[in-house]
Amino acid sequence: MAETLRLMAVHAHPDDESSKGAATMAKYVADGHEVMVVTCTGGERGDILNPAMDRPEITADISSVRRQEMARAAEILGVQHRWLGFVDSGLPEGDPLPPLPAGCFALVPLEESVPPLVRAIREFKPHVIVTYDENGGYPHPDHIRCHEVSVAAFDAAGDPDLHPEQGEPWTPLKLYYSHGFSRTRLVAMHEALLARGLESPYGEWLENWKPERGDISHRVTSRVECAEHFETRDAALLAHATQIDPKSRWFAVPLDVQREVWPYEEYELVRSLVDSTLPEDDLFSGISAKAAV
Protein backbone atom coordinates (compact mmCIF):
# COMPACT_ATOMS: atom_id res chain seq x y z
CA MET A 1 0.00 0.00 0.00
CA ALA A 2 1.38 3.39 -1.01
CA GLU A 3 0.12 5.32 2.00
CA THR A 4 -1.15 4.94 5.55
CA LEU A 5 -4.10 7.12 6.48
CA ARG A 6 -5.79 7.65 9.84
CA LEU A 7 -9.43 7.38 10.87
CA MET A 8 -10.93 8.38 14.23
CA ALA A 9 -14.35 7.16 15.38
CA VAL A 10 -15.89 9.09 18.29
CA HIS A 11 -18.46 7.21 20.37
CA ALA A 12 -20.49 7.84 23.50
CA HIS A 13 -20.08 4.55 25.40
CA PRO A 14 -18.02 1.36 25.33
CA ASP A 15 -19.84 -1.07 22.95
CA ASP A 16 -21.03 1.71 20.59
CA GLU A 17 -17.86 1.26 18.52
CA SER A 18 -18.67 -2.42 17.99
CA SER A 19 -22.31 -1.90 17.00
CA LYS A 20 -21.73 1.08 14.69
CA GLY A 21 -19.09 0.86 11.99
CA ALA A 22 -16.95 -1.89 13.49
CA ALA A 23 -16.57 -3.85 10.24
CA THR A 24 -15.47 -0.66 8.48
CA MET A 25 -12.78 -0.08 11.09
CA ALA A 26 -11.63 -3.70 10.87
CA LYS A 27 -11.39 -3.36 7.09
CA TYR A 28 -9.24 -0.25 7.26
CA VAL A 29 -6.97 -1.83 9.87
CA ALA A 30 -6.59 -4.88 7.61
CA ASP A 31 -5.76 -2.53 4.74
CA GLY A 32 -2.89 -1.10 6.77
CA HIS A 33 -4.44 2.15 7.97
CA GLU A 34 -4.47 3.44 11.55
CA VAL A 35 -7.77 3.64 13.40
CA MET A 36 -8.51 5.13 16.80
CA VAL A 37 -11.74 4.84 18.78
CA VAL A 38 -12.43 7.65 21.23
CA THR A 39 -15.00 6.80 23.92
CA CYS A 40 -16.51 9.81 25.65
CA THR A 41 -17.84 8.10 28.78
CA GLY A 42 -17.15 4.99 30.81
CA GLY A 43 -20.63 3.55 30.35
CA GLU A 44 -21.03 3.41 34.13
CA ARG A 45 -24.80 3.80 34.06
CA GLY A 46 -25.53 1.29 31.32
CA ASP A 47 -27.93 -1.50 32.27
CA ILE A 48 -26.63 -5.07 32.27
CA LEU A 49 -28.44 -6.44 29.24
CA ASN A 50 -26.99 -9.95 29.24
CA PRO A 51 -28.71 -12.08 31.94
CA ALA A 52 -25.61 -14.25 32.28
CA MET A 53 -23.64 -11.21 33.46
CA ASP A 54 -26.26 -9.85 35.85
CA ARG A 55 -24.38 -10.86 38.97
CA PRO A 56 -23.60 -8.91 42.17
CA GLU A 57 -19.84 -8.91 41.65
CA ILE A 58 -20.29 -7.49 38.13
CA THR A 59 -22.70 -4.79 39.27
CA ALA A 60 -20.39 -3.80 42.12
CA ASP A 61 -17.46 -3.23 39.76
CA ILE A 62 -19.23 -2.21 36.56
CA SER A 63 -16.81 0.62 35.71
CA SER A 64 -13.82 -1.69 35.75
CA VAL A 65 -15.67 -4.44 33.90
CA ARG A 66 -16.68 -2.12 31.10
CA ARG A 67 -13.11 -0.89 30.75
CA GLN A 68 -11.91 -4.46 30.44
CA GLU A 69 -14.58 -5.19 27.84
CA MET A 70 -13.56 -2.13 25.82
CA ALA A 71 -9.91 -3.16 25.89
CA ARG A 72 -10.81 -6.60 24.57
CA ALA A 73 -13.02 -5.17 21.81
CA ALA A 74 -10.27 -2.77 20.72
CA GLU A 75 -7.81 -5.67 20.59
CA ILE A 76 -10.18 -7.70 18.41
CA LEU A 77 -10.75 -4.79 16.02
CA GLY A 78 -7.06 -3.90 15.95
CA VAL A 79 -7.73 -0.26 16.82
CA GLN A 80 -6.10 2.18 19.16
CA HIS A 81 -8.34 3.42 21.96
CA ARG A 82 -8.67 6.55 24.08
CA TRP A 83 -11.06 7.45 26.91
CA LEU A 84 -12.19 11.07 27.19
CA GLY A 85 -13.04 10.45 30.85
CA PHE A 86 -16.59 11.78 31.18
CA VAL A 87 -19.34 10.10 33.20
CA ASP A 88 -22.23 8.25 31.56
CA SER A 89 -25.50 10.18 31.73
CA GLY A 90 -27.76 7.12 31.73
CA LEU A 91 -30.93 6.91 29.66
CA PRO A 92 -33.75 8.78 31.43
CA GLU A 93 -37.14 7.09 31.26
CA GLY A 94 -40.59 8.12 32.39
CA ASP A 95 -43.16 10.82 31.75
CA PRO A 96 -42.08 13.40 32.60
CA LEU A 97 -38.44 12.44 32.15
CA PRO A 98 -36.36 12.67 35.33
CA PRO A 99 -33.47 15.16 35.39
CA LEU A 100 -30.07 13.98 34.30
CA PRO A 101 -27.59 13.24 37.11
CA ALA A 102 -25.31 16.09 38.11
CA GLY A 103 -21.89 16.06 36.49
CA CYS A 104 -22.83 13.65 33.70
CA PHE A 105 -21.44 14.01 30.18
CA ALA A 106 -24.63 15.47 28.68
CA LEU A 107 -24.56 18.31 31.22
CA VAL A 108 -20.87 19.18 30.96
CA PRO A 109 -20.57 22.52 29.09
CA LEU A 110 -19.04 22.27 25.63
CA GLU A 111 -16.27 24.62 26.78
CA GLU A 112 -15.12 21.74 29.01
CA SER A 113 -15.93 18.68 26.88
CA VAL A 114 -14.60 19.86 23.51
CA PRO A 115 -10.94 20.57 24.45
CA PRO A 116 -10.08 16.95 25.42
CA LEU A 117 -11.29 15.75 22.01
CA VAL A 118 -9.37 18.55 20.30
CA ARG A 119 -6.25 17.27 22.05
CA ALA A 120 -6.96 13.71 20.91
CA ILE A 121 -7.39 14.90 17.31
CA ARG A 122 -4.20 16.96 17.37
CA GLU A 123 -2.22 14.05 18.79
CA PHE A 124 -3.59 11.27 16.55
CA LYS A 125 -3.92 13.50 13.46
CA PRO A 126 -6.84 11.75 11.77
CA HIS A 127 -7.63 12.45 8.13
CA VAL A 128 -11.24 11.27 8.67
CA ILE A 129 -13.53 11.50 11.70
CA VAL A 130 -16.75 9.48 12.12
CA THR A 131 -19.42 10.23 14.71
CA TYR A 132 -23.23 10.38 15.12
CA ASP A 133 -25.76 12.67 13.46
CA GLU A 134 -27.65 15.44 15.23
CA ASN A 135 -30.11 12.89 16.65
CA GLY A 136 -27.31 10.80 18.08
CA GLY A 137 -28.30 7.85 15.88
CA TYR A 138 -31.03 7.53 18.51
CA PRO A 139 -31.90 10.18 21.08
CA HIS A 140 -29.74 9.11 24.01
CA PRO A 141 -28.46 12.28 25.72
CA ASP A 142 -24.86 11.06 25.55
CA HIS A 143 -25.13 10.30 21.84
CA ILE A 144 -26.49 13.75 21.11
CA ARG A 145 -23.74 15.31 23.21
CA CYS A 146 -21.17 13.15 21.44
CA HIS A 147 -22.38 14.60 18.13
CA GLU A 148 -22.11 18.16 19.45
CA VAL A 149 -18.65 17.63 20.89
CA SER A 150 -17.39 15.86 17.76
CA VAL A 151 -18.56 18.53 15.33
CA ALA A 152 -17.18 21.34 17.49
CA ALA A 153 -13.83 19.58 17.89
CA PHE A 154 -13.61 18.84 14.14
CA ASP A 155 -14.00 22.54 13.44
CA ALA A 156 -11.69 23.67 16.24
CA ALA A 157 -8.78 21.25 15.87
CA GLY A 158 -7.21 23.05 12.92
CA ASP A 159 -7.66 26.58 14.29
CA PRO A 160 -4.49 27.84 16.01
CA ASP A 161 -6.51 30.47 17.87
CA LEU A 162 -8.72 27.86 19.56
CA HIS A 163 -7.50 25.77 22.50
CA PRO A 164 -3.77 26.44 21.90
CA GLU A 165 -3.01 24.59 25.14
CA GLN A 166 -4.24 21.35 23.51
CA GLY A 167 -1.33 20.98 21.09
CA GLU A 168 -0.32 21.95 17.58
CA PRO A 169 -3.26 22.46 15.18
CA TRP A 170 -4.34 19.58 12.95
CA THR A 171 -7.07 19.89 10.31
CA PRO A 172 -9.07 16.71 9.65
CA LEU A 173 -10.17 16.50 6.03
CA LYS A 174 -13.54 14.73 6.21
CA LEU A 175 -16.34 14.32 8.75
CA TYR A 176 -18.95 11.56 8.49
CA TYR A 177 -22.06 10.55 10.37
CA SER A 178 -22.59 6.82 10.78
CA HIS A 179 -26.00 5.54 9.66
CA GLY A 180 -26.36 1.91 10.66
CA PHE A 181 -30.05 1.51 11.44
CA SER A 182 -32.00 2.66 8.40
CA ARG A 183 -35.50 1.35 7.82
CA THR A 184 -34.47 0.38 4.30
CA ARG A 185 -31.82 -1.96 5.70
CA LEU A 186 -34.22 -3.52 8.20
CA VAL A 187 -36.81 -4.14 5.48
CA ALA A 188 -34.20 -5.73 3.23
CA MET A 189 -33.05 -8.07 5.98
CA HIS A 190 -36.62 -8.85 7.08
CA GLU A 191 -37.75 -9.76 3.57
CA ALA A 192 -34.62 -11.80 2.88
CA LEU A 193 -35.17 -13.89 5.99
CA LEU A 194 -38.83 -14.52 5.20
CA ALA A 195 -38.00 -15.42 1.59
CA ARG A 196 -35.63 -18.10 2.93
CA GLY A 197 -38.26 -19.47 5.30
CA LEU A 198 -36.42 -18.13 8.31
CA GLU A 199 -37.82 -16.26 11.30
CA SER A 200 -37.22 -12.52 11.27
CA PRO A 201 -36.54 -10.55 14.46
CA TYR A 202 -37.58 -7.32 12.74
CA GLY A 203 -41.33 -7.78 12.16
CA GLU A 204 -42.57 -6.10 15.33
CA TRP A 205 -39.88 -3.43 15.07
CA LEU A 206 -41.04 -2.50 11.57
CA GLU A 207 -44.73 -2.63 12.51
CA ASN A 208 -44.09 -0.14 15.31
CA TRP A 209 -41.92 2.15 13.18
CA LYS A 210 -43.69 5.50 13.50
CA PRO A 211 -44.09 7.51 10.26
CA GLU A 212 -42.70 10.64 11.90
CA ARG A 213 -39.46 8.77 12.52
CA GLY A 214 -38.87 8.63 8.77
CA ASP A 215 -35.81 6.96 7.31
CA ILE A 216 -32.25 8.21 6.98
CA SER A 217 -31.47 6.26 3.81
CA HIS A 218 -31.74 9.37 1.65
CA ARG A 219 -28.90 10.93 3.65
CA VAL A 220 -26.42 8.15 2.93
CA THR A 221 -23.58 9.29 0.67
CA SER A 222 -21.02 6.56 1.28
CA ARG A 223 -21.15 2.77 1.47
CA VAL A 224 -18.08 0.84 2.59
CA GLU A 225 -18.12 -2.81 1.56
CA CYS A 226 -16.82 -4.72 4.56
CA ALA A 227 -18.67 -8.05 4.59
CA GLU A 228 -15.51 -10.10 5.09
CA HIS A 229 -15.08 -8.38 8.46
CA PHE A 230 -18.56 -9.11 9.86
CA GLU A 231 -17.18 -11.95 12.00
CA THR A 232 -14.64 -9.56 13.54
CA ARG A 233 -17.44 -7.05 14.19
CA ASP A 234 -19.50 -9.70 15.97
CA ALA A 235 -16.55 -10.88 18.05
CA ALA A 236 -15.90 -7.31 19.19
CA LEU A 237 -19.56 -6.89 20.04
CA LEU A 238 -19.56 -10.09 22.10
CA ALA A 239 -16.56 -8.77 24.03
CA HIS A 240 -19.00 -6.32 25.64
CA ALA A 241 -20.56 -9.17 27.58
CA THR A 242 -22.47 -6.99 30.06
CA GLN A 243 -24.27 -5.25 27.21
CA ILE A 244 -24.66 -7.93 24.56
CA ASP A 245 -26.68 -11.12 24.96
CA PRO A 246 -25.35 -13.74 22.51
CA LYS A 247 -28.98 -14.83 22.00
CA SER A 248 -30.17 -11.34 21.06
CA ARG A 249 -31.32 -10.15 17.64
CA TRP A 250 -27.86 -8.71 17.01
CA PHE A 251 -26.99 -12.24 15.88
CA ALA A 252 -30.34 -13.39 14.48
CA VAL A 253 -29.44 -12.93 10.82
CA PRO A 254 -26.98 -15.54 9.44
CA LEU A 255 -23.76 -13.99 8.19
CA ASP A 256 -24.23 -15.42 4.70
CA VAL A 257 -27.57 -13.61 4.45
CA GLN A 258 -26.02 -10.37 5.68
CA ARG A 259 -23.17 -10.66 3.20
CA GLU A 260 -25.56 -11.24 0.31
CA VAL A 261 -28.22 -8.68 1.19
CA TRP A 262 -26.30 -5.84 2.87
CA PRO A 263 -22.52 -6.28 2.60
CA TYR A 264 -21.63 -2.72 3.60
CA GLU A 265 -21.87 -0.08 6.31
CA GLU A 266 -23.29 3.34 5.53
CA TYR A 267 -22.24 6.92 6.21
CA GLU A 268 -23.12 10.51 5.42
CA LEU A 269 -20.36 12.90 4.37
CA VAL A 270 -21.10 16.21 6.11
CA ARG A 271 -17.80 18.10 5.93
CA SER A 272 -15.04 17.76 3.35
CA LEU A 273 -11.94 19.79 2.56
CA VAL A 274 -11.09 17.54 -0.41
CA ASP A 275 -12.84 16.79 -3.68
CA SER A 276 -14.64 13.47 -3.77
CA THR A 277 -17.38 12.20 -6.05
CA LEU A 278 -20.60 11.05 -4.41
CA PRO A 279 -21.69 8.38 -3.86
CA GLU A 280 -18.47 6.97 -2.41
CA ASP A 281 -17.27 3.52 -1.48
CA ASP A 282 -14.28 4.66 0.58
CA LEU A 283 -14.14 7.09 3.51
CA PHE A 284 -10.64 8.08 2.42
CA SER A 285 -11.81 8.90 -1.10
CA GLY A 286 -10.24 12.13 -2.37
CA ILE A 287 -7.45 12.16 0.21
CA SER A 288 -4.13 12.18 -1.61
CA ALA A 289 -0.77 10.79 -0.61
CA LYS A 290 0.29 14.36 0.15
CA ALA A 291 -2.10 14.34 3.12
CA ALA A 292 -0.62 11.18 4.61
CA VAL A 293 1.81 12.84 6.99
Side-chain angles (χ1 to χ4, degrees):
M1 188 183 62
E3 56 184 313
T4 299
L5 299 175
R6 294 179 294 277
L7 180 147
M8 174 182 283
V10 187
H11 289 283
H13 312 105
D15 77 68
D16 287 328
E17 84 296 327
S18 296
S19 61
K20 303 167 189 67
T24 298
M25 293 191 291
K27 166 190 162 53
Y28 284 129
V29 169
D31 288 347
H33 298 298
E34 294 184 49
V35 178
M36 173 178 281
V37 169
V38 175
T39 308
C40 295
T41 80
E44 303 89 347
R45 290 192 170 96
D47 294 330
I48 296 179
L49 301 177
N50 179 1
M53 296 293 287
D54 194 0
R55 308 193 302 269
E57 68 273 20
I58 299 294
T59 304
D61 196 25
I62 190 63
S63 295
S64 176
V65 170
R66 298 213 68 186
R67 283 184 168 270
Q68 294 169 25
E69 291 174 343
M70 183 66 241
R72 177 60 181 147
E75 180 183 16
I76 291 168
L77 293 171
V79 303
Q80 301 175 48
H81 180 254
R82 183 165 180 152
W83 297 99
L84 277 200
F86 296 102
V87 177
D88 188 350
S89 303
L91 182 59
E93 295 180 303
D95 187 13
L97 290 174
L100 292 172
C104 71
F105 177 52
L107 295 181
V108 174
L110 289 177
E111 310 88 80
E112 297 177 26
S113 53
V114 171
L117 183 55
V118 169
R119 174 174 289 276
I121 292 170
R122 289 176 176 173
E123 291 179 354
F124 182 63
K125 298 179 171 60
H127 302 96
V128 171
I129 294 179
V130 178
T131 191
Y132 315 136
D133 67 12
E134 66 281 0
N135 297 310
Y138 78 104
H140 188 298
D142 283 338
H143 283 238
I144 294 171
R145 198 55 152 181
C146 179
H147 158 81
E148 295 167 345
V149 169
S150 299
V151 172
F154 179 92
D155 291 336
D159 189 335
D161 294 327
L162 294 177
H163 313 295
E165 74 286 357
Q166 303 301 332
E168 292 296 316
W170 173 263
T171 302
L173 299 177
K174 300 174 85 175
L175 175 66
Y176 288 91
Y177 297 157
S178 175
H179 289 309
F181 299 102
S182 69
R183 188 178 189 279
T184 302
R185 177 180 178 274
L186 294 183
V187 168
M189 291 294 187
H190 176 70
E191 293 178 347
L193 289 168
L194 296 183
R196 290 164 172 77
L198 301 173
E199 185 177 351
S200 169
Y202 303 125
E204 184 177 355
W205 191 353
L206 290 169
E207 287 177 11
N208 295 329
W209 194 285
K210 297 178 181 179
E212 60 268 25
R213 183 175 178 181
D215 189 9
I216 48 80
S217 293
H218 66 282
R219 294 177 55 169
V220 170
T221 62
S222 314
R223 283 178 163 180
V224 177
E225 190 161 334
C226 49
E228 64 185 281
H229 301 284
F230 284 173
E231 287 182 331
T232 302
R233 171 204 65 192
D234 287 357
L237 199 52
L238 286 167
H240 293 283
T242 56
Q243 300 296 294
I244 303 298
D245 184 346
K247 300 176 183 178
S248 68
R249 65 183 175 193
W250 286 110
F251 311 104
V253 183
L255 286 179
D256 63 316
V257 176
Q258 294 184 46
R259 291 186 175 113
E260 179 182 339
V261 176
W262 211 270
Y264 31 71
E265 293 177 333
E266 297 183 309
Y267 302 88
E268 177 186 359
L269 178 62
V270 290
R271 299 263 209 290
S272 182
L273 302 182
V274 299
D275 292 329
S276 55
T277 302
L278 301 180
E280 302 172 315
D281 61 5
D282 181 5
L283 302 187
F284 292 126
S285 177
I287 299 176
S288 68
K290 186 183 295 186
V293 295

